Amino acid sequence: MKALEIYKLLPKTNCKKCGYPTCLAFAMKLAAGKADVELCPDLDPETKTLLGGATRPPIRLVKVGVGERSVTVGEEFVLFRHEKTFYHPPGIMVHISDTWPEEQVRTVAEDVRDSVVHRVGTDLMLDGIAIRNESGSPTQFAETVALVEACGDLPEVLIAADPAAHEAALAECGNFLPLIHAATDRNWRECAALAKRYGCPLAVRAGDVKTLTSLVRNCVGAGVPDLMLDIAPGSLREFIAAATRIRKAAIERTDPDLGYPIVFDTVPLGITDAALAAGVLKYAGIIVTEPLSPASMEAALTLRQNIYTDPQKPIQMTPGIYPVNEPGRDAPVLLSVNFSLTYFTLLGYLEASRIPCHLFVVDTEGLSVLTAVAGGKLTESLVAASIKQFSLNEKVDHRQLIIPGYAAPLSGKIEDETGWKVLVGPRDAAELAGYLEKEWRT
Amino acid sequence: MQLTEKEDAVLEVQLGATRSEGGTREVSYRIGGETKLPFTEAEPDRLLVALEICDETQFWPPVIREYVGDLADQPDEWAKTAERTWGADLVRLNFTSTKQRGFDDFPGITKTMEQVLAATSRPLIVEGSSEPELDSEVFRRCGEAGEGERLLLGTAEADRYRSVAAAALAYGHAVIAQSPIDINLAKQLNILLQETGVARDRIVIDPYTGALGYGFEYSYSVMERIRTAGLAGDADLAMPMISAATDALAVREVREAAAGDRDAMAVAWEFYTAFSALAAGASIVCVRHPMTVARLKNALAAMQPASGQKEV
């Protein structure tokens, strides 16, 4: 619905009780899917229902857990990340069985709590624990949950078919908003009642859309608004196909009952890495996985970080002089651009070569060498100004500048403008080490 | 439910030629032909895993040099092991020797081509020249040695594509068209190649794949854009794609891993990159660690559609 159509249905009193200065401002927020219709205290229930369906985000925002480590997923707007950012990275929950010995449960939970991957100034972590009721015993399930609770305030997924097991476990952790997994056509009444009592999010699970949507309607009707969808995939392929269809139906609002985050239990499929990657790439909100090796954890968290970056804002490096391998005053100076991809590629090869050098990054507004040269963003005057700005002449004793191979057409102009001797380096970063070994002389 | 406006298909490109097709391969592949995004249709996807090998390992990642040991000095044995032991669908032979200063061993290129072709039963991808000055002689040698074999010959770039295109035309091969992570540059290069006479069904797009964690997000999105544009009817982008995350084993995480963890880290890094490239629309992924091949093949085997796949 457009903002003006929504506005016509609002009280037009500009009472500000919704937190916005005017009813029109509120209408515009609603139209953008950025506000909740419930904020208006004066709307009749009928209008609320009408507006709610049309204005709420296409995928409901759902939170699992409490506090610092809680995970919030949903509220996505597109099918492809080049159209607009993916906003809420999926929560990766590591599976624990209630048949495991205490020590194993504790080790896995502590590992999830403490493992950190440092990348590009960010700490990446796994998100929580999924506890599975494989023992068949509600008591044992509750005991395992208590054990995990004792390890810290990690978000939890409670996986059990038996509502009695959920009831026992929720007595331990219900106030910490675990995800209850899962309501099916057999047990949804009991599961929904428990989710309502504790205010927890609830997953509904069915292998076909018809059952899934009727479960959604039943659970919403029973007073549980925070739902997630489990499409019970029999294979990884079924997951990708079904998740893609559901995401598309949700963002196009063709089926409002599918407008919830997807939960993907990869454990029954038995192919951890592929399933984890597929979940990250293809629309999972919560992913349950086997415990991960350090290598898989690093790669999976890095993939998630990559996919959930803003495609419209390439990560740019701050211009300046970056020392690589502890360079001295006679080390070579390599001119480069502030496109982060160029920087990381260069850095990788240079660090591997162990050759000390200065990486001299100038501001091409995040463009690569080729595009910056073609688009006139990398020019002799920019190079001259940057040499002055970063006092390059005070950093080194020589006056030689190695420029990227793709910037070769600028070599003469840069020499004239800066007075520095210009050497044309290779076009491919992979060849830099060989080039420096052969060509660099002060 | 359709995911794109039109039901156009990605063009089919044939790789390799069997005896009845004029070559000596035991199998040939047809890649492309998709009408939907990867893994969303009921037919199996035609996806291939290539293991990359080279003829001069001083330019190859140390983690691989150590893993393959003596094979590193014998491209033909390396290629044979890639197919028969490690399960690669095909081999990508990189003539890294042409990176050496003053390279002039052109007969050596012919000899290596002949040896590797004799050692392998599958189609071959050949990455010929690394130096513009060597392009015409090197690509001619590669193309000639594989005449009739329908090689996938690389790499054509916007400012140097004539030599590789000429070799492909003269000896009946397909071409890898590489452009730096940009859908418009990819389209432009495809048009340039067609103008030289390379048929549309002899072109495989390489949008350049950055390493995971080092710009992979751009590669992933460009692959998705190229694939959806092709499916939506843009004929100059309706070619299958190849993805080789060349830098994946040069990243800090792999280099700095403890000796005992280095193989695992290399494989994880390659696997997550290659699997994601397949999900974004690549038809062939090229990796360098033998263990990555098995992990990708396992994943792809698990992705085969079951008969009577349920409609959700």
Side-chain angles (χ1 to χ4, degrees):
Chain A
M1 272 174 103
K2 296 210 173 70
L4 276 178
E5 296 171 72
I6 297 168
Y7 177 68
K8 283 178 194 156
L9 301 171
L10 296 180
K12 304 188 205 61
T13 50
N14 298 337
C15 69
K16 302 186 180 59
K17 279 184 260 180
C18 62
Y20 296 95
T22 63
C23 287
L24 184 59
F26 183 47
M28 287 167 76
K29 284 286 171 189
L30 284 173
K34 298 276 188 194
D36 190 335
V37 66
E38 295 294 332
L39 291 170
C40 178
D42 301 327
L43 279 179
D44 59 273
E46 215 167 289
T47 317
K48 264 187 197 171
T49 313
L50 176 69
L51 284 177
T55 61
R56 69 176 173 81
I59 300 170
R60 188 179 172 88
L61 199 67
V62 177
K63 183 173 160 186
V64 179
V66 293
E68 226 174 275
R69 297 276 304 249
S70 65
V71 182
T72 305
V73 294
E75 206 160 278
E76 304 291 344
F77 297 89
V78 292
L79 201 55
F80 300 109
R81 65 178 288 286
H82 59 257
E83 298 169 308
K84 201 178 182 196
T85 317
F86 289 179
Y87 290 103
H88 296 100
I92 300 176
M93 312 298 214
V94 175
H95 146 98
I96 277 175
S97 167
D98 70 351
T99 58
W100 291 0
E102 273 192 41
E103 196 46 43
Q104 191 182 355
V105 170
R106 207 174 285 123
T107 308
V108 172
E110 285 173 355
D111 201 41
V112 171
R113 184 190 65 196
D114 300 335
S115 299
V116 184
V117 176
H118 304 281
R119 293 206 79 261
V120 207
T122 316
D123 287 344
L124 310 178
M125 299 178 93
L126 296 170
D127 298 277
I129 304 289
I131 304 125
R132 199 179 303 263
N133 178 217
E134 290 180 327
S135 66
S137 149
T139 322
Q140 198 166 330
F141 190 49
E143 279 168 8
T144 309
V145 168
L147 209 59
V148 172
E149 279 295 326
C151 290
D153 50 359
L154 290 169
E156 287 160 355
V157 182
L158 307 177
I159 304 179
D162 178 7
H166 281 301
E167 186 158 19
L170 286 165
E172 296 290 337
C173 67
N175 297 327
F176 305 116
L177 305 188
L179 172 65
I180 301 172
H181 183 286
T184 61
D185 52 2
R186 287 193 200 152
N187 67 10
W188 68 266
R189 280 185 187 82
E190 297 90 332
C191 285
L194 286 169
K196 191 179 178 193
R197 192 194 320 161
Y198 287 100
C200 290
L202 173 67
V204 298
R205 179 175 161 95
D208 64 284
V209 161
K210 212 170 142 228
T211 318
L212 210 55
T213 49
S214 83
L215 280 171
V216 166
R217 271 184 229 131
N218 287 338
C219 292
V220 171
V224 184
D226 292 333
L227 299 175
M228 286 197 200
L229 311 175
D230 181 343
I231 49 202
S235 71
L236 188 47
R237 188 185 185 86
E238 277 182 13
F239 170 76
I240 293 179
T244 306
R245 280 157 205 269
I246 286 178
R247 173 73 158 246
K248 192 166 193 284
I251 58 173
E252 290 176 356
R253 299 175 194 271
T254 50
D255 191 344
D257 292 324
L258 295 178
Y260 296 91
I262 292 169
V263 52
F264 180 22
D265 182 359
T266 70
V267 175
L269 298 182
I271 38 169
T272 307
D273 289 311
L276 195 46
V280 168
L281 299 168
K282 296 293 178 182
Y283 319 126
I286 293 289
I287 305 171
V288 176
T289 176
E290 295 277 11
L292 300 172
S293 69
S296 289
M297 183 185 80
E298 273 207 53
L301 291 177
T302 304
L303 178 66
R304 182 176 71 176
Q305 184 190 37
N306 272 190
I307 296 301
Y308 283 77
T309 52
D310 185 345
Q312 265 113 42
K313 274 189 230 141
I315 308 168
Q316 295 183 17
M317 293 305 300
T318 313
I321 300 163
Y322 292 85
V324 184
N325 302 326
E326 299 169 13
R329 300 184 60 81
D330 57 349
V333 178
L334 307 173
L335 176 75
S336 189
V337 294
N338 73 332
F339 180 36
S340 64
L341 177 53
T342 308
Y343 173 83
F344 286 127
T345 310
L346 268 176
L347 193 66
Y349 281 105
L350 290 172
E351 284 180 346
S353 78
R354 302 185 189 282
I355 299 171
C357 57
H358 303 275
L359 204 47
F360 177 37
V361 175
V362 300
D363 185 1
T364 55
E365 297 166 29
L367 294 180
S368 70
V369 175
L370 198 60
T371 9
V373 171
K377 296 287 184 206
L378 179 57
T379 60
E380 62 277 16
S381 44
L382 169 69
V383 177
S386 304
I387 288 178
K388 197 173 282 175
Q389 183 189 350
F390 300 112
S391 311
L392 185 61
N393 51 357
E394 291 167 23
K395 294 273 190 325
V396 289
D397 292 330
H398 60 83
R399 293 291 175 265
Q400 297 184 62
L401 191 61
I402 300 171
I403 68 170
Y406 281 116
L410 298 172
S411 55
K413 291 184 202 155
I414 295 176
E415 280 203 345
D416 293 347
E417 188 84 13
T418 63
W420 284 54
K421 181 173 190 284
V422 170
L423 306 171
V424 177
R427 297 187 309 177
D428 187 345
E431 285 154 30
L432 252 178
Y435 171 86
L436 288 175
E437 268 164 25
K438 280 167 197 143
E439 302 286 340
W440 176 249
R441 308 270 181 279
T442 44
Chain B
M1 186 193 300
Q2 259 175 254
L3 292 169
T4 49
E5 308 270 308
K6 280 171 73 181
E7 287 246 8
D8 278 87
V10 175
L11 287 171
E12 286 191 348
V13 173
Q14 183 180 338
L15 303 181
T18 59
R19 288 200 187 280
S20 64
E21 292 163 335
T24 64
R25 307 293 88 197
E26 280 171 23
V27 287
S28 61
Y29 298 119
R30 298 188 78 81
I31 56 168
E34 295 88 2
T35 56
K36 301 245 173 58
L37 292 173
F39 309 125
T40 57
E41 57 195 312
E43 303 103 64
D45 303 277
R46 302 164 175 183
L47 305 177
L48 301 175
V49 178
L51 187 84
E52 294 198 64
I53 67 172
C54 68
D55 72 334
E56 174 51 67
T57 50
Q58 63 164 303
F59 303 107
W60 217 241
V63 58
I64 303 301
R65 287 205 302 258
E66 267 164 46
Y67 189 87
V68 303
D70 294 342
L71 290 177
D73 304 319
Q74 313 158 64
D76 51 344
E77 287 302 313
W78 195 354
K80 191 187 280 179
T81 313
E83 288 181 4
R84 305 210 182 144
T85 310
W86 298 327
D89 294 314
L90 68 175
V91 164
R92 180 174 182 161
L93 170 61
N94 292 263
F95 278 103
T96 40
S97 57
T98 60
K99 291 184 179 201
Q100 293 172 110
R101 169 157 292 213
F103 172 86
D104 60 359
D105 182 18
F106 297 108
I109 297 226
T110 303
K111 191 169 156 231
T112 305
M113 279 295 299
E114 284 167 354
Q115 285 174 340
V116 172
L117 278 166
T120 58
S121 64
R122 317 273 174 80
L124 193 64
I125 308 173
V126 179
E127 193 61 28
S129 171
S130 330
E131 269 305 311
E133 306 90 78
L134 303 175
D135 279 0
S136 73
E137 181 62 9
V138 172
F139 286 130
R140 189 182 69 72
R141 294 271 182 169
C142 295
E144 188 180 31
E147 179 160 21
E149 300 283 9
R150 280 230 190 197
L151 305 173
L152 180 54
L153 202 53
T155 291
E157 296 172 59
D159 55 351
R160 46 184 288 228
Y161 61 91
R162 291 182 190 279
S163 300
V164 63
L169 280 170
Y171 304 108
H173 304 305
V175 180
I176 298 174
Q178 189 190 74
S179 44
I181 319 187
D182 184 296
I183 185 171
N184 295 314
L185 295 177
K187 183 167 173 163
Q188 189 185 9
L189 178 57
N190 285 349
I191 294 170
L192 290 173
L193 281 171
Q194 289 173 60
E195 282 171 1
T196 66
V198 178
R200 289 170 58 217
D201 65 356
R202 299 265 182 154
I203 297 173
V204 176
I205 299 174
D206 178 357
Y208 187 83
T209 308
L212 180 65
Y214 298 82
F216 178 69
E217 63 272 31
Y218 305 108
S219 313
Y220 180 79
S221 279
V222 162
M223 277 185 255
E224 280 195 330
R225 288 184 68 192
I226 290 173
R227 181 46 63 246
T228 49
L231 289 173
D234 189 332
D236 292 316
L237 288 170
M239 291 80 170
M241 286 187 284
I242 186 169
S243 164
T246 308
D247 298 329
L249 300 184
V251 304
R252 183 199 300 260
E253 285 80 356
V254 175
R255 283 195 330 265
E256 293 182 359
D261 302 333
R262 213 150 56 115
D263 283 319
M265 194 61 85
V267 173
W269 229 251
E270 281 201 317
F271 177 86
Y272 275 83
T273 313
F275 183 85
S276 303
L278 290 170
S283 292
I284 307 175
V285 288
C286 308
V287 295
R288 296 183 175 187
H289 202 297
M291 282 157 66
T292 315
V293 176
R295 204 177 287 186
L296 281 167
K297 294 293 288 180
N298 279 345
L300 287 176
M303 306 284 288
Q304 288 305 316
S307 51
Q309 186 190 6
K310 74 178 182 197
E311 279 281 303
V312 174

